[in-house]
Amino acid sequence: MELIVLWDIDHTLIENAGVSKEIYAAAFATLSGREPTEPARTEGRTDRLIMHDMFVRDELPVPDWHHIETALAQAGEGRLDDLRRRGTALPGVHEALTAASARSGWVSSVLTGNIAANARVKLAAFGLDSLLDLPVGGYGADAELRPQLVAVARERAQRLRSVPAAIPTVLVGDTPRDVEAALTTGSGIVAVASGIHGPEELTAAGAAEVLPDLADTKRVLGVLESFAGH
């Protein structure tokens, strides 16, 4: 049974307790010389799109992506202690990731709107980075739109882990954008109502399987197994 499992990070694996929005604000201030007029709008969007919209909303020229990514990484690298002090890994996450990483034939990585550097900081804050195959992941620097990250992660799994192209992929995430990314790319979806979107909203977005959280490891693994190729 082979499978590519791609986990969202914020509000699926961890609660960042507002640190994410502080990172975006700090990067914006570094690049513009002033604070943003409004907090970043996140909800499953990529860093490329989040930062672009912040500059457009404040009627400022959008810097080159290279400069934005550098500013985001600099803002994120000093936040490890803030994350550990204020945030938390969500219930069952360590157990679910440990179980998925031990499955023969499974590649367990991330699909996240965060740039890779900040994804690693967020995961490392709670000891989750070693439980995931991070080089295979799809990250916020790779594309503007979340569905495009699925192809990136699949290609990396094929190239770096010699995974056959036909192996099924399943996304685990907490927003309608995670559901959309799965449905538009032919991937499975396990929606988790651990963020601001409730079960009804995730079901309405098209998720056939919605869990309250990842606390029940046996159930999580059972659902993932249902997507695996035989």
Side-chain angles (χ1 to χ4, degrees):
M1 294 186 2
E2 296 180 303
L3 187 66
I4 299 171
V5 187
L6 300 173
W7 309 79
D8 174 53
I9 295 177
D10 294 296
H11 314 299
T12 298
L13 299 181
I14 73 162
E15 171 52 56
N16 67 62
V19 173
S20 274
K21 293 195 175 183
E22 292 169 9
I23 290 172
Y24 296 124
F28 180 94
T30 295
L31 294 164
S32 69
R34 64 177 177 82
E35 297 297 318
T37 55
E38 296 179 45
R41 297 171 186 166
T42 54
E43 294 184 11
R45 300 189 311 158
T46 66
D47 280 2
R48 279 184 178 271
L49 203 54
I50 291 165
M51 292 298 294
H52 177 274
D53 287 359
M54 288 180 76
F55 282 93
V56 170
R57 197 165 67 237
D58 279 23
E59 300 181 343
L60 294 172
V62 180
D64 290 342
W65 170 248
H66 168 73
H67 299 301
I68 294 176
E69 185 172 15
T70 299
L72 282 170
Q74 289 173 343
E77 66 185 1
R79 302 290 173 146
L80 196 68
D81 289 341
D82 288 340
L83 283 163
R84 284 176 175 158
R85 186 175 67 254
R86 292 158 47 193
T88 185
L90 290 171
V93 165
H94 280 92
E95 294 80 3
L97 293 184
T98 299
S101 69
R103 289 298 171 105
S104 177
W106 287 23
V107 173
S108 181
S109 189
V110 296
L111 191 94
T112 175
N114 292 281
I115 63 169
N118 289 349
R120 187 175 291 276
V121 168
K122 289 179 175 182
L123 294 166
F126 309 107
L128 304 177
D129 52 325
S130 63
L131 302 176
L132 291 155
D133 189 352
L134 295 181
V136 171
Y139 298 94
D142 294 323
E144 273 201 356
L145 300 178
R146 200 173 192 92
Q148 297 167 339
L149 301 182
V150 178
V152 172
R154 283 174 170 162
E155 186 279 329
R156 286 174 177 160
Q158 293 167 30
R159 176 168 47 86
L160 299 175
R161 303 295 175 254
S162 301
V163 170
I167 285 183
T169 301
V170 58
L171 278 55
V172 185
D174 68 291
T175 74
R177 284 191 172 87
D178 294 296
V179 179
E180 177 197 17
L183 296 180
T184 58
T185 59
S187 304
I189 178 67
V190 179
V192 189
S194 48
I196 64 171
H197 304 283
E200 297 82 4
E201 188 176 358
L202 295 169
T203 300
E209 189 72 48
V210 181
L211 303 179
D213 52 35
L214 299 174
D216 186 340
T217 305
K218 184 177 180 180
R219 184 179 179 192
V220 172
L221 267 289
V223 174
L224 291 175
E225 285 171 356
S226 72
F227 293 101
H230 294 271

